[in-house]
Amino acid sequence: MPVTFPLSKTDDTAALLDRLRGIVGRRHVLASDRETHRHRTGFRFGSGPVLAVVRPGTMVEQWRVLQACIAAGVIVIPQAANTGLTGGSTPHGAYDRPVVVINTLRIKGLHLIREGAQVIALPGTTLYELEARLRPLGREPHSVIGSSCIGASVMGGVCNNSGGALVRRGPAYTELALYAQVDEHGVLSLVNHLGIALGNDPVMMLDRLERGAFAESEVTATTDRAASDPHYGAHVRAIDADTPARFNADPSRLFEASGSAGKVMVFAVRLDTFPKEARTRVFYIGTSDPAELAELRRTILSSFAHLPIAAEYMHREAFDIAARYGKDTYLAIRHLGTDRLPLLYAIKARVDSLAARLPFLGSHLSDRMLQWLADRMPDHLPARMGAWRDCYEHHLVLRIAEDGVAEVRAALSARYPSAAGDWFECTQAEGDAAFLHRFAAAGAAIRYRQIHGDAVEDIVALDIALPRNTQDWFERLPEALSAPILHKLYYGHFLCHVFHQDYIVRKGTDPLALEHAMWALLDRRGAEYPAEHNVGHLYPAKPALRAHYLALDPCNMFNPGIGHTSREAAR
């Protein structure tokens, strides 16, 4: 079907809206500023106007909505949970055509295949839902920390090559997907690379897949295509390599839907699942000398027979901010479980929506209420963690499978206690608390900003990947950059050398100028960034990523402007 640019008359846009309402129903075509606000505004960054937000309820509706939008020549921005931090699934700035956001969260569902060794995830499937479905099978998805608790989608992780906390698995990745794209002639087509025989008619294919109406015999083994990164364990062990272990724009992990960042419309992805370790132990290391952790990292990656499951780092300042401003998150998960977090976040969003319509309630009402409650709760962290915080600046937590416990004990006993550090083996409660505290750090800076808006201009949030051979890994900012920062929060995935660096910036500072100055420092260190959150509208896409976007979307119909690329239609 030919592409026409742009819709220029009011009656054209009205006709498109009527057609979209006819496909999904009037209540699922959002057009007012109030209705569309949460879908056209990023979790931390990005916002812009839209013609409409459309919420299809089936994959057939999703296809028909997409057909209508492409025929009308409007921009399409695919969106699922909108939990990204760089505005990658929202509009940002001005465009040359109207924008329609197609939000897929209503399209729930997943199909386990090959006795649960793989999964077919539909557009609205969240990491939490997948984790819950796999739990009775003794298996788990690619990522089991962080985003799974706040509703991020499986598909969003794949489309952004998102990372994770698990050392052995690398970024979310698959070469098996079902997606729609527009070719250089403006023709929309459905591409089936799932390895499942579904037929040739798009409507029939999508209906069959959503219903799970296919036999196991129609699922091919696809030995020529991977459903996860099979080489990451060896890759991360290459400690003398002068390139990072993983980052969003790694050319070796850009493949069709993987790393597509909304430049195609993805309907399903096929992914590997993984056996869950039945028994694990957690080790807590503290030191005031970062060189000790650098040496330990190289020893683990070069000589250990078994890679740790996870290795999470926190700096003391991040520990402190998380202890106060992530306390309610910690307590909610500990006492209510992750099962209820999606409901709690939905209630929080409703409270904030109400407060936005009643100005006398003030801004960030839910955050202020939750922080008031948290400040009145007793201390929640185990005593030994508090003692290590008082003694040591740098904290590393290792989760080890049973077969690797002995070599970790031996390695730590040979090094500690030292003049700068020490370690302890956690009880079950301490181990759970350590990882939960690390998770709470991810949102603590945002909470701090909401509570202290009179003193905070904004947050500069970087996620960086250092070269695998880096030994001087801990950042020391020059005074000119450090002066306008109230708090520097460092935490991350230590063995992968992927770090989250959140800077809470003093009122009156230009956060964008500060961030650009930091980019220059990172470039000199050989770092890649972003490592996990993708370019969104914050970062310029590097050449390989730009080429990937152009190959997927030569007419620039999907998510234009991403990675500072052109927003204009390709004529």
Side-chain angles (χ1 to χ4, degrees):
M1 61 194 70
V3 175
T4 57
F5 306 109
L7 281 177
S8 57
K9 296 185 294 186
T10 302
D11 56 345
D12 290 335
T13 59
L16 176 58
L17 290 174
D18 284 344
R19 185 173 181 189
L20 296 175
R21 292 178 183 119
I23 296 170
V24 303
R26 182 169 295 272
R27 64 177 294 207
H28 295 299
V29 178
L30 313 179
S32 73
D33 286 349
R34 182 179 64 82
E35 289 176 322
T36 61
H37 181 266
R38 64 182 296 265
H39 297 287
R40 57 182 171 82
T41 305
F43 185 74
R44 183 183 281 177
F45 175 84
S47 65
V50 298
L51 174 64
V53 175
V54 187
R55 303 183 300 184
T58 68
M59 291 202 297
V60 171
E61 288 184 359
Q62 182 184 355
W63 170 252
R64 288 177 171 154
V65 166
L66 181 59
Q67 284 181 307
C69 290
I70 298 302
V74 301
I75 288 168
V76 171
I77 299 181
Q79 182 186 86
N82 192 20
T83 59
L85 301 183
T86 58
S89 58
T90 61
H92 187 68
Y95 298 85
D96 63 339
R97 295 151 285 167
V99 175
V100 173
V101 172
I102 301 179
N103 181 277
T104 61
L105 273 190
R106 292 180 62 218
I107 309 173
K108 302 288 188 183
L110 57 91
H111 306 300
L112 299 179
I113 59 175
R114 304 182 68 195
E115 299 181 332
Q118 289 186 327
V119 61
I120 305 295
L122 303 188
T125 304
T126 64
L127 282 166
Y128 163 72
E129 290 161 345
L130 177 55
E131 187 177 348
R133 182 76 175 274
L134 291 173
R135 194 176 297 126
L137 303 180
R139 300 187 72 84
E140 60 188 15
H142 165 270
S143 179
V144 296
I145 189 173
S147 297
S148 59
C149 295
I150 61 173
S153 69
V154 174
M155 199 162 289
V158 171
C159 292
N160 289 291
N161 278 348
S162 297
L166 302 181
V167 176
R168 306 169 184 177
R169 296 180 192 168
Y173 179 77
T174 187
E175 297 170 358
L176 301 164
L178 178 67
Y179 60 93
Q181 69 179 151
V182 174
D183 68 15
E184 66 271 20
H185 304 295
V187 176
L188 175 69
S189 61
L190 189 65
V191 180
N192 181 10
H193 288 165
L194 270 181
I196 301 176
L198 296 169
N200 297 310
D201 176 71
V203 170
M204 182 181 296
M205 293 165 65
L206 294 168
D207 178 63
R208 282 188 64 196
L209 182 62
E210 186 164 2
R211 291 187 292 110
F214 55 87
E216 192 73 24
S217 61
E218 294 176 292
V219 180
T220 62
T222 64
T223 54
D224 59 329
R225 287 180 176 248
S228 62
D229 183 347
H231 308 298
Y232 187 74
H235 190 70
V236 76
R237 284 184 181 270
I239 57 174
D240 293 319
D242 60 2
T243 56
R246 58 177 173 91
F247 56 100
N248 294 125
D250 185 345
S252 68
R253 296 184 181 92
L254 299 175
F255 190 93
E256 297 180 354
S258 293
S260 59
K263 298 301 285 183
V264 293
M265 175 65 78
V266 186
F267 287 83
V269 291
R270 176 174 168 181
L271 296 162
D272 289 329
T273 69
F274 303 87
K276 183 177 176 65
E277 296 287 351
R279 298 177 63 184
T280 66
R281 299 290 295 181
V282 173
F283 296 83
Y284 199 109
I285 301 107
T287 181
S288 293
D289 181 1
E292 288 190 348
L293 294 187
E295 181 187 355
L296 178 61
R297 173 182 172 273
R298 290 181 66 83
T299 297
I300 291 173
L301 292 176
S302 64
S303 64
F304 274 26
H306 308 282
L307 281 175
I309 297 169
E312 293 298 291
Y313 166 79
M314 285 184 75
H315 182 260
R316 178 188 280 156
E317 194 164 4
F319 185 109
D320 290 346
I321 295 293
R324 181 177 180 190
Y325 296 96
K327 186 176 182 179
D328 57 299
T329 298
Y330 177 106
L331 293 172
I333 297 173
R334 179 181 173 186
H335 295 294
L336 300 177
T338 57
D339 301 30
R340 299 192 182 175
L341 272 191
L343 175 60
L344 294 178
Y345 276 97
I347 294 172
K348 183 179 184 297
R350 290 182 183 179
V351 170
D352 287 336
S353 178
L354 172 64
R357 298 197 295 272
L358 301 172
F360 66 87
L361 293 176
S363 59
H364 311 302
L365 177 63
S366 66
D367 287 287
R368 289 187 285 109
M369 292 170 58
L370 289 169
Q371 192 60 48
W372 185 88
L373 289 171
D375 285 344
R376 282 150 184 80
M377 299 290 285
D379 289 344
H380 58 294
L381 296 176
R384 279 203 289 186
M385 283 179 61
W388 252 241
R389 177 260 169 233
D390 292 341
C391 291
Y392 308 115
E393 183 179 356
H394 306 280
H395 298 245
L396 178 64
V397 190
L398 302 176
R399 185 177 293 279
I400 307 295
E402 189 173 21
D403 54 9
V405 166
E407 60 185 347
V408 173
R409 285 183 183 140
L412 295 179
S413 297
R415 286 170 169 78
Y416 297 107
S418 70
D422 206 350
W423 69 284
F424 64 88
E425 188 167 339
C426 296
T427 65
Q428 180 70 44
E430 288 172 330
D432 291 346
F435 276 93
L436 188 48
H437 184 52
R438 159 62 187 87
F439 165 67
I446 297 175
R447 170 62 59 76
Y448 188 100
R449 180 185 63 184
Q450 314 300 50
I451 300 301
H452 300 287
D454 56 338
V456 176
E457 183 67 32
D458 207 345
I459 300 165
V460 171
L462 300 176
D463 57 305
I464 72 165
L466 295 177
R468 283 165 285 175
N469 64 355
T470 300
Q471 297 197 53
D472 186 13
W473 58 273
F474 185 67
E475 179 179 76
R476 295 173 179 85
L477 289 176
E479 178 58 28
L481 294 184
S482 186
I485 298 173
L486 295 170
H487 295 286
K488 297 185 285 287
L489 311 185
Y490 298 108
Y491 54 97
H493 317 304
F494 190 69
L495 295 186
C496 301
H497 253 15
V498 169
F499 295 95
H500 301 279
Q501 302 182 170
D502 293 345
Y503 308 94
I504 301 175
V505 180
R506 192 183 310 277
K507 201 76 170 177
T509 303
D510 182 347
L512 190 58
L514 180 63
E515 181 167 358
H516 288 175
M518 289 180 171
W519 290 358
L521 291 180
L522 293 173
D523 291 340
R524 289 199 288 272
R525 298 177 72 193
E528 290 284 354
Y529 53 92
E532 294 189 323
H533 296 153
N534 216 348
V535 291
H537 290 287
L538 265 179
Y539 300 92
K542 292 190 174 182
L545 191 57
R546 283 177 173 262
H548 184 55
Y549 292 162
L550 181 61
L552 292 175
D553 183 25
C555 290
N556 212 19
M557 297 292 292
F558 293 93
N559 210 8
I562 201 79
H564 296 190
T565 57
S566 172
R567 298 175 185 274
E568 297 183 358
R571 306 282 179 171

